[in-house]
Amino acid sequence: MSNKKSLFIKDGINYAAPFAAISALFFLWGIAHGLLDALDKNFQEMLHLKKWQSSLIQFHLYGAYAAMAIPAGLFMKKYGYKKGVIFGLLLFACGALIAAVTAPLQSFVLFLLCLLIIGCGLATLETAANPYTTKLGPPETAERRINFSQSFNGLAWTIGPLIAIYIYGNRSHVEGEKMMSIVLPFAMIGLAVLVVAFIFKRLKLPEITEEDENAAHGVHGASTTSGDAVEVSDPSASGYITRKPLWQNRHFKLGVIAQACYVGAQTGVFSYLINFLTDDKDMHMEPRFNVADGPYFLSIGFALFMIGRISGSAMMKYFKPTKLLAFYALAVCILLPVIGAEIGWASVIALYGVFFFMSIMFPTIFALAIKGLGPQTKRGAAFLVMSVAGGAIFPLLMGAVADTYGMAVGFFVPIPLFLFILYYATSGYKVKA
């Protein structure tokens, strides 16, 4: 008889259908992020915005994570995770539909407010999705289900820019009609999300417990009461649980900073790839590409990002995650100056190399930062989700530098952030007693 555990069958109940619905959430927010990262260049040309102004797209989307993470958790604690998912979907749908309805007003400010609503919805969904994947099958296969669901997220990031192709190709140059190209895609996304919300309302989903939430954050079998298990005193041991208050744990504090650095740098790189490949004014290298094809090039980058995450996860069977993270961070620090040097195809290849090597950073930093937190894991994870707000701030700085000194010079700006991640991977991650 096989000892292989089922992914979806628990206590005789098959949770494959609810799991498919949860995976749709990962896909939906991946589509949103991929699409919006592709729109920076579009709005720069359409509304004659500077690069730092177009980065307000990321500011409102990622800023919503900082604003919504704690309220979303409180909402789900009171009303349950299923209602939290539905609430997040409704926020997402409302933001998209309002963006479609208000597009004829040609207001970038209104569009940004819609993105804030969408971001609040995405933050709510992300807070709920991982715990649900742990509940939809045996606890022994919880991590496999999470990784399986996240693969849909990676796939969606590659598809999002392809939706932007419609917006680029159907953009009107007539005053009063320039934003009309966003109406159809945002209306369709909003309606699709409403359909998913309706499906979730009719689904029977199990309740999420504290144990499930800990499993979603990589903590299995951690005792929350004294006397249940033999205490592990060695901080480097896998079963070690700190007794210090959350913010007195050095590896956690540095992990929050490293995560904010990563998301900020990642968002800047994602947002300005199209500018780097298509700008004619301040770029002095070949090749140059047509702006209308920009989303295709971004989609290629996201595909490499997804390949990097899958292959990186596989390599962690043979290499320590910290060593792999350090090597990848060092590789990015070497590649960014090649991009900034504007040396033709070498710079283009280096830019795509950055996409590949950034791939494992978010989940690896997350896992290292919550190590040994025990019953404080849930609070720690909430702060790590809030650190996503780094993606709201850094692109503004990178855009301002690019506006002043040129887009190529802008790619030197993320180097200090990746150097901090390199430090965290070599030293900062270590748990101290």
Side-chain angles (χ1 to χ4, degrees), residues 37 217 267 300 388:
D37 280 333
H217 300 311
T267 307
I300 292 170
V388 169

Side-chain angles (χ1 to χ4, degrees), residues 228-242:
D228 290 342
V230 177
E231 182 177 345
V232 179
S233 59
D234 182 2
S236 63
S238 59
Y240 176 80
I241 296 177
T242 181

Side-chain angles (χ1 to χ4, degrees), residues 306-326:
M306 179 176 66
I307 292 169
R309 181 162 288 183
I310 294 171
S311 61
S313 297
M315 283 192 286
M316 285 181 188
K317 294 180 181 178
Y318 310 102
F319 302 98
K320 288 184 177 180
T322 51
K323 290 186 176 180
L324 203 62
L325 177 63

